[in-house]
Amino acid sequence: QFEEMKLRRKYAFIVFKIHNDQIVADTIKTIEDATAIGSEATFEEFISKMPADEGRYGVFDFEYDSGADGIRNKLVFFLWAPDTAKIRSRMIYASSKLAIRQRLDGIHAEIQCTDPAELAHEAVFEKLAPKGATPVVRPPKA
């Protein structure tokens, strides 16, 4: 699924969880579904898949307008290990991160979040986009 996201831009995001000692896809959002609801709602949905009391991994196809170079995409890897999660959950996600990152070749950036504020679009944009870039906001399409 990640390869199709990277090479064919088939998915807007994928959220992974650890279940029975395996890293499995928990939520997948196709580009078609993301286009229908718009870019802001897609990012909000991605954030909503990060539970307050448990870790998750996520990959999001993040867009920004770099000005002269036009619209750019970056595949961003998120490690969500909230402070409110049990210590065991945080430790499992932190220690398993390397295993999933090695399988996800082509990630442009990595963001580790422990607080919902770190997942905010503005915070992510500041970490990823070069100076002078602007966020791409795509309205919903019916």
Side-chain angles (χ1 to χ4, degrees):
Q1 293 161 333
F2 174 74
E3 289 301 315
E4 289 187 5
M5 181 180 194
K6 179 175 77 170
L7 299 174
R8 295 189 183 94
R9 296 207 58 231
K10 186 173 180 178
Y11 304 112
F13 69 79
I14 303 173
V15 176
F16 301 91
K17 70 178 182 178
I18 297 175
H19 180 71
N20 294 331
D21 296 327
Q22 297 288 319
I23 298 171
V24 297
D26 183 43
T27 307
I28 299 172
K29 185 77 166 180
T30 65
I31 288 291
E32 293 82 23
D33 290 343
T35 301
I37 65 171
S39 59
E40 290 177 324
T42 299
F43 194 77
E44 290 301 317
E45 183 177 338
F46 174 72
I47 291 172
S48 76
K49 302 302 180 187
M50 304 297 174
D53 60 349
E54 196 177 334
R56 289 288 188 274
Y57 302 114
V59 179
F60 192 90
D61 190 351
F62 198 86
E63 279 187 319
Y64 62 88
D65 188 341
S66 65
D69 292 333
I71 294 176
R72 298 282 182 230
N73 293 68
K74 284 190 177 184
L75 291 177
V76 183
F77 176 81
F78 290 82
L79 165 58
W80 172 243
D83 290 332
T84 53
K86 292 179 181 172
I87 292 173
R88 178 169 162 56
S89 174
R90 292 196 322 250
M91 288 177 55
I92 289 171
Y93 276 87
S95 64
S96 301
K97 181 187 80 158
L98 186 59
I100 190 170
R101 279 290 279 124
Q102 288 175 337
R103 292 183 358 210
L104 302 177
D105 185 41
I107 294 290
H108 293 100
E110 179 179 311
I111 297 178
Q112 296 187 30
C113 306
T114 58
D115 183 87
E118 295 171 316
L119 283 173
H121 190 273
E122 299 79 26
V124 173
F125 179 79
E126 283 181 26
K127 291 179 183 178
L128 296 177
K131 283 208 180 297
T134 56
V136 172
V137 178
R138 298 192 187 278
K141 290 189 178 173

